[in-house]
Amino acid sequence: MSGEFEGIGGPARRNLAAIDLRTGQVTPFNPDVDGAVEALAPHGGTLYFGGRFAHVGGLARSGAAAVDLGGTPTPFAPQVAGNPIVRALAFGDGTVLLGGPFIQVGGQQHVGLAEVDARTGAVTPFHDDADNEVFTLAIADDKLYVGGSFQNIGGVPRGRLAQIIPALGGQVTPFDPNFDGTVRALVVRDGTLYAGGDFHHVLNGVPRAFLAAFDLGNLTLLPFESQLDSGATALADDDSELFVAGGGLTSIGGSPRPGLGAIDLASGLATPWAPAVPAGFSVDQVALSREGGTVVGSTYLGRGLLEAFAIAPSTPAAPRAVATGPGQATVTVAPPPETPKLS
């Protein structure tokens, strides 16, 4: 659980805490972060996070840091400066990609986007400055997808979404979907890139209000249209659904879904899942846990609320039978894919 708070569920915890989703109790995990945490990314036995802070556990850590699962800071210290806020994280090959409104990392100019060593936080040769803020990052097949409010990145015109190859030092590819509004959330699943935000059109005029999908095999826009009535600020997915959160969201495809809803990935239509978000609360984050259901972060007039809503368990893939001899066969039943737990 991250955000901007001094305590949660009773115990004092500054801006970052862990909750046992089976019991709802706060765990002993206590990194003591002195400013708001806006992005979380667990990787192996380490939790990386970004936000608006200067110290973690009493150690200097500006904008981005990492702790072990006991809450102790690691040597990872990227030294973000110049509006030192990190809003998005993604993992490369031994590296961490950072996105935000910053203008400097590790004493070098890196505007909005930077790549750093995952162990130390030292900057790599990757360099792609953006002319406005980066809000979200996603990695698939060694390509980085960057979403935000920029119109140029790496010296190349790209309207709010770009595809970049980190291994080539940050080469911007020809993919240019050209959104007419800010891209705030990205999810990649099964070769499809889902983008949510405050836009109404892509590709210089094709209607796609607040949510769009692209086939990453041929980089084409898909007919997927979900009919959100407001911009998505966070996305999460499971085996068959895309979960959407947004402070202004009230409906999906005409069905009431205040703040939070789910979309069938095959059809683009709203599913029957309709959680009862407390009246007056604005949902701005969503995460999934197989054990704990859907976990939602929401805020209202300075107060914070964390809710968990049950979702239907995923259905395993159909059994597969392979003949092994006369009257004999081997039957294989695949388990459903794992979904990362919320830390």
Side-chain angles (χ1 to χ4, degrees):
M1 172 66 179
S2 63
E4 192 169 7
F5 51 82
E6 294 291 328
I8 183 168
R13 294 288 186 274
R14 287 208 297 172
N15 307 306
L16 182 60
I19 297 172
D20 187 323
L21 293 178
R22 295 167 297 181
T23 66
Q25 300 300 306
V26 179
T27 76
F29 177 83
N30 186 14
D32 189 29
V33 185
D34 68 353
V37 175
E38 302 190 19
L40 291 177
H43 192 67
T46 302
L47 177 65
Y48 293 82
F49 54 95
R52 292 178 282 119
F53 50 82
H55 297 85
V56 176
L59 300 178
R61 295 289 187 272
S62 178
V67 295
D68 63 25
L69 297 186
T72 301
T74 75
F76 180 78
Q79 300 176 6
V80 180
N83 203 7
I85 303 171
V86 173
R87 302 198 194 281
L89 301 167
F91 296 103
D93 184 10
T95 66
V96 181
L97 285 304
L98 312 176
F102 53 80
I103 62 174
Q104 190 179 89
V105 178
Q108 302 177 26
Q109 177 179 304
H110 287 274
V111 183
L113 183 63
E115 182 185 57
V116 299
D117 182 271
R119 188 180 63 85
T120 65
V123 292
T124 74
F126 173 102
H127 206 124
D128 273 320
D129 288 349
D131 67 357
N132 214 322
E133 188 164 354
V134 171
F135 282 97
T136 180
L137 301 171
I139 286 270
D141 298 326
D142 299 322
K143 296 182 179 66
L144 174 68
Y145 296 88
V146 183
S149 53
F150 55 84
Q151 296 191 56
N152 294 272
I153 190 165
V156 180
R158 289 293 180 269
R160 288 94 177 183
L161 179 65
Q163 183 193 63
I164 290 171
I165 305 177
L168 298 180
Q171 177 181 308
V172 181
T173 76
F175 179 56
D176 186 14
N178 197 22
F179 287 74
D180 65 357
T182 300
V183 174
R184 298 185 180 275
L186 295 172
V187 163
V188 176
R189 181 171 186 86
D190 295 335
T192 299
L193 174 69
Y194 298 91
D198 303 325
F199 49 84
H200 291 83
H201 299 86
V202 300
L203 298 173
N204 297 307
V206 179
R208 285 294 185 277
F210 310 122
L211 188 64
F214 295 85
D215 183 330
L216 295 183
N218 53 24
L219 299 178
T220 57
L221 180 68
L222 295 172
F224 182 88
E225 293 190 65
S226 59
Q227 299 181 349
L228 304 183
D229 71 344
S230 186
T233 57
L235 301 173
D237 67 302
D238 71 358
D239 301 332
S240 60
E241 296 171 298
L242 183 68
F243 295 85
V244 182
L249 183 68
T250 63
S251 69
I252 300 176
S255 300
R257 297 293 185 270
L260 180 69
I263 298 167
D264 182 88
L265 289 173
S267 67
L269 301 177
T271 73
W273 188 76
V277 177
F281 280 82
S282 172
V283 181
D284 55 9
Q285 294 293 334
V286 61
L288 297 186
S289 167
R290 287 240 184 267
E291 295 178 354
T294 299
V295 181
V296 180
S298 57
T299 59
Y300 172 65
L301 295 179
R303 294 163 53 207
L305 179 68
L306 181 69
E307 290 273 6
F309 299 101
I311 57 177
S314 300
T315 302
R320 184 178 61 180
V322 178
T324 56
Q328 297 179 332
T330 298
V331 178
T332 302
V333 179
E338 289 292 327
T339 296
K341 299 178 184 178
L342 179 73
S343 297

